[in-house]
Amino acid sequence: MSIRRLPPELINRIAAGEVVERPASALKELVENALDAGAAQVAVRLSAGGLELIEVADDGRGMSPAELRLALERHATSKLPDDSIDRVTSFGFRGEALPSIASVSRLSIESRVRGSDGWRIAVDHGEPAGEGPAALPPGTRVAIAGLFDKVPARRKFLRSPRAEYAACLDAVKRLAMARSDVGFALDHDGRRILTLQPSDAPARVAALLSHELDRHGVGIDCARDGLRLTGVISLPTFNRGMADQQYLFVNSRPVKDRLLVGALRAAYRDLIARDRHPIAALFVEVPLEDVDVNVHPAKTEVRFRDPAAVRGLIVGGLRRALDEESQRSAAREQAAAPVMWTTSATYDAALNRHPRESTGPSAVQGSGIAAFAGMTGVAEEQRLFDHAPAGRAESATEAVPSYPLGVARGQVAATYIVAEAEDGLVIVDQHAAHERLVLERMRAAREGGAITRQVLLIPEVVELEEPDCDRLEGAAADLAELGLEIERFGPGAILARAYPAALGKTDVAGLLADLAAEIAELGGPLSLRDKLDHVAATIACHGSVRAGRILSVAEMNALLREMEVTPRSGQCNHGRPTWVKLGHGEIEKLFGRR
Ligand SMILES: Nc1ncnc2c1ncn2[C@@H]1O[C@H](COP(=O)(O)OP(=O)(O)OP(=O)(O)O)[C@@H](O)[C@H]1O
Ligand SMILES: [Mg+2]
């Protein structure tokens, strides 16, 4: 075995593998350099998603010819003047981005310091390719052409120009959000994509995130123990199928940090379905000495001295903001509701098509429970509106006490409760609402240390796959805290002895199977409390009144009263509203009285 020192060329190519993964990462390095150079304006031009050309021009401080040459050398940086790697305020500090990129592309840098002439240096895959005077305004312009053209191993992993463009756009957006005081322009294949004037953070975020966030967003601003968190997040009801609109920053540095992403998820736990994602732009400010930015070659991850404090600030801060907004969220859903309401015109048309079904709106008004009692045993599997009209109601003569959600007047499609409030008509999704109540009940009981269990007279043996049994067995102690008592019963079975009383009668086998899947998925570094919350949500779903169950008027009113006093009852565990209200004014509008 002979040990040898690698030639600088090879070292640069190896570094390029870590720093530059695709056009977007090269672009990110160039824009960061421009920002570090004190640019007030950064202009980006791309061709074919950056596969053909990436060009970044800035009006920053520029480099002299000597500095230009040095900039292309490995480990040459102007950003650590005093060797203190633990107090980094610039984006760059490793001094390896330019030489790495230059080793896998054709790179040209032109630069001019104010008051002197410009200079240009070209490098072709690590080899000098000429230098000389250049004419340009003060600042720097870097162009990268043919990235990875001669590196087949890398080229293979590049995606279509479209996909690479999307990643480049994302990189620019993240840096533009990080530095709202700087103006940005982005052109792709000759088309202007973005023009951003210097502004403040909220305006910049608003310009780059979905405009809907004006109506569906919650502003965040909180601080604790020297940490500060600001930004905006979407209401749980305004979510996406992908986690692509989550912008996280630590001390103005865009990061894709697992701790932060996890904390964001945890804040929305049980407010949003597992496969849905909130939109967020969150800025964490931490004292410089409490965060290490030197843990990742592309600098997209950081390490906190006190991760628990950061996580606590985020989960706590967001949760509080969301709780405060939860009532408002339901109110906004109401605003959207009238469009979906059938007006008499469409109602008449429907009536003419089915003259024999013309029980009309009076079905909800006067007919007693008895009249439709025979039709109530509807199987759950049936589609919602396959139900025969089964609206039943209380007489509407009595005064309406001032309950926010009103008094139950009837039930529609064996799924929705119709209630009359002082200020309008309320419709409640009974399953969604009940699921939420069960969850909040379990949570309250747990916090008060008073979970009541339903002990099974004959313990139930549930057969499951061995890994599922292992998972449940491993979580037995946590589950016991929720009132679910299980133990291992041979390799492929679990014995259930008791379950949370909050559930009522329940299908234990189905519950255990769901829980095993849930635990498998949660696997990650969640705190016990988060896990329990999540598991509790799954349990709650099992214990809830299904759509399709006929409720008595007393049951309906009990549900409404409990909703009124239960926190977060305006949303189901998946982030959908549990109720909508049609105000008197809106009813009048529907009838053209306003
Ligand atoms: N647009 C620019 N304007 C002015 N100087 C620049 C510019 N781009 C690079 N430089 C100079 O070149 C040096 C090397 O840049 P390079 O990106 O390779 O390393 P870095 O930014 O110091 O660290 P990192 O590798 O972490 O990005 C910088 O330290 C800076 O002095
Ligand atoms: Mg750099």
Side-chain angles (χ1 to χ4, degrees):
M1 183 183 75
S2 67
I3 299 179
R4 67 168 182 137
R5 288 186 202 281
L6 296 175
E9 214 358 71
L10 203 52
I11 295 177
N12 284 336
R13 300 251 315 242
I14 292 170
E18 295 180 320
V19 179
V20 208
E21 191 189 346
R22 57 195 299 193
S25 30
L27 172 60
K28 165 183 166 296
E29 294 294 338
L30 299 188
V31 175
E32 288 182 352
N33 281 348
L35 295 171
D36 282 345
Q41 289 288 337
V42 178
V44 178
R45 279 201 314 138
L46 302 171
S47 301
L51 295 169
E52 279 172 17
L53 177 76
I54 302 169
E55 188 188 277
V56 175
D58 67 62
D59 60 356
R61 70 179 66 92
M63 285 171 276
S64 68
E67 286 171 328
L68 257 183
R69 278 177 218 117
L70 210 50
L72 285 161
E73 271 179 37
R74 190 167 167 73
H75 301 315
T77 182
S78 58
K79 300 173 190 175
L80 289 177
D82 59 359
D83 294 351
S84 57
I85 186 87
D86 40 5
R87 295 190 62 90
V88 176
T89 52
S90 54
F91 286 110
F93 53 86
R94 293 173 168 246
E96 60 183 5
L98 287 179
S100 305
I101 295 170
S103 73
V104 291
S105 69
R106 281 174 284 127
L107 178 109
S108 135
I109 313 187
E110 297 166 280
S111 197
R112 184 180 147 199
V113 178
R114 191 173 291 279
S116 34
D117 293 329
W119 196 253
R120 169 177 186 272
I121 295 192
V123 183
D124 188 346
H125 292 87
E127 300 295 330
E131 54 182 279
L136 76 158
T140 303
R141 178 155 56 213
V142 184
I144 304 171
L147 182 68
F148 294 135
D149 268 358
K150 292 194 187 161
V151 192
R154 279 281 155 174
R155 185 105 214 151
K156 250 194 340 230
F157 290 100
L158 294 176
R159 299 180 37 215
S160 66
R162 221 171 203 317
E164 296 301 341
Y165 163 65
C168 287
L169 177 61
D170 186 62
V172 172
K173 281 189 179 177
R174 283 176 200 276
L175 285 161
M177 270 192 222
R179 289 294 305 274
S180 54
D181 56 323
V182 175
F184 284 83
L186 170 64
D187 286 51
H188 183 224
D189 289 337
R191 246 177 3 106
R192 175 54 57 96
I193 308 290
L194 275 181
T195 311
L196 298 166
Q197 305 301 339
S199 61
D200 57 11
R204 180 59 63 83
V205 167
L208 289 170
L209 279 185
S210 163
H211 297 298
E212 306 268 355
L213 236 49
D214 294 350
R215 292 202 308 125
H216 300 279
V218 185
I220 304 291
D221 190 349
C222 54
R224 205 170 72 190
D225 306 335
L227 307 173
R228 173 131 191 254
L229 177 69
T230 54
V232 60
I233 57 174
S234 64
L235 287 165
T237 40
F238 192 71
N239 52 48
R240 288 173 65 78
M242 285 200 303
D244 58 343
Q245 290 214 24
Q246 298 180 351
Y247 300 89
L248 306 172
F249 306 86
V250 175
N251 294 347
S252 293
R253 182 186 292 278
V255 295
K256 298 193 168 166
D257 195 77
R258 286 191 46 182
L259 173 96
L260 301 185
V261 173
L264 177 62
R265 260 225 90 64
Y268 281 85
R269 174 139 306 139
D270 73 41
L271 291 174
I272 207 167
R274 222 170 305 141
D275 55 349
R276 307 293 302 176
H277 307 272
I279 297 173
L282 289 173
F283 301 83
V284 184
E285 283 160 57
V286 200
L288 284 182
E289 56 274 18
D290 289 352
V291 59
D292 185 356
V293 295
N294 189 26
V295 293
H296 189 267
K299 311 173 198 103
T300 53
E301 285 167 30
V302 293
R303 189 177 295 132
F304 296 101
R305 197 174 50 86
D306 186 355
V310 175
R311 189 189 155 84
L313 176 72
I314 297 178
V315 179
L318 301 194
R319 196 76 204 191
R320 213 170 320 114
L322 287 172
D323 281 355
E324 281 164 15
E325 284 287 329
S326 67
Q327 284 311 110
R328 189 149 76 97
S329 136
R332 280 177 179 150
E333 289 299 326
Q334 299 155 20
V339 253
M340 307 176 49
W341 285 65
T342 314
T343 62
S344 55
T346 46
Y347 179 75
D348 284 346
L351 208 60
N352 290 337
R353 257 181 280 124
H354 310 282
R356 268 176 304 139
E357 289 172 26
S358 59
T359 39
S362 59
V364 191
Q365 255 167 32
S367 20
I369 295 174
F372 292 96
M375 301 182 187
T376 56
V378 191
E380 260 182 37
E381 305 80 64
Q382 265 186 288
R383 284 193 28 241
L384 287 186
F385 291 99
D386 284 354
H387 291 286
R392 302 155 300 116
E394 278 188 304
S395 131
T397 50
E398 87 214 54
V400 181
S402 56
Y403 294 124
L405 294 179
V407 291
R409 292 295 183 208
Q411 190 185 19
V412 176
T415 302
Y416 301 103
I417 299 167
V418 178
E420 183 182 0
E422 268 179 326
D423 54 348
L425 176 65
V426 176
I427 301 182
V428 176
D429 178 332
Q430 68 190 37
H431 172 66
H434 194 251
E435 187 175 318
R436 186 77 211 174
L437 294 181
V438 172
L439 174 62
E440 292 296 338
R441 243 186 258 158
M442 287 180 53
R443 189 182 275 162
R446 202 172 84 230
E447 273 161 15
I451 284 269
T452 39
R453 357 178 158 239
Q454 173 81 47
V455 179
L456 292 160
L457 281 182
I458 305 165
E460 189 167 336
V461 177
V462 178
E463 290 186 11
L464 293 162
E465 304 265 324
E466 197 165 337
D468 281 343
C469 293
D470 292 344
R471 286 186 189 109
L472 288 168
E473 188 184 11
D478 296 349
L479 294 172
E481 195 179 316
L482 292 169
L484 184 65
E485 278 172 24
I486 55 169
E487 61 195 60
R488 191 65 179 252
F489 196 71
I494 291 283
L495 191 73
R497 295 192 175 280
Y499 59 84
L503 293 189
K505 231 170 107 61
T506 206
D507 159 25
V508 177
L511 172 62
L512 291 187
D514 277 7
L515 281 177
E518 175 89 25
I519 294 164
E521 193 173 309
L522 285 177
L526 289 174
S527 74
L528 175 69
R529 205 199 128 81
D530 290 335
K531 274 190 194 156
L532 288 183
D533 258 5
H534 215 132
V535 166
T538 301
I539 295 179
C541 184
H542 275 263
S544 307
V545 173
R546 295 281 155 181
R549 208 183 100 194
I550 300 298
L551 298 176
S552 74
V553 169
E555 282 175 315
M556 291 191 264
N557 277 321
L559 190 73
L560 296 178
R561 297 297 78 79
E562 192 174 347
M563 284 172 72
E564 283 160 0
V565 296
T566 303
R568 295 175 289 267
S569 66
Q571 283 154 15
C572 77
N573 299 346
H574 313 290
R576 293 187 295 271
T578 54
W579 56 272
V580 296
K581 186 184 270 184
L582 191 62
H584 287 156
E586 282 153 339
I587 298 178
E588 283 171 0
K589 259 188 246 158
L590 286 176
F591 289 102
R593 283 167 172 267
R594 262 203 184 179

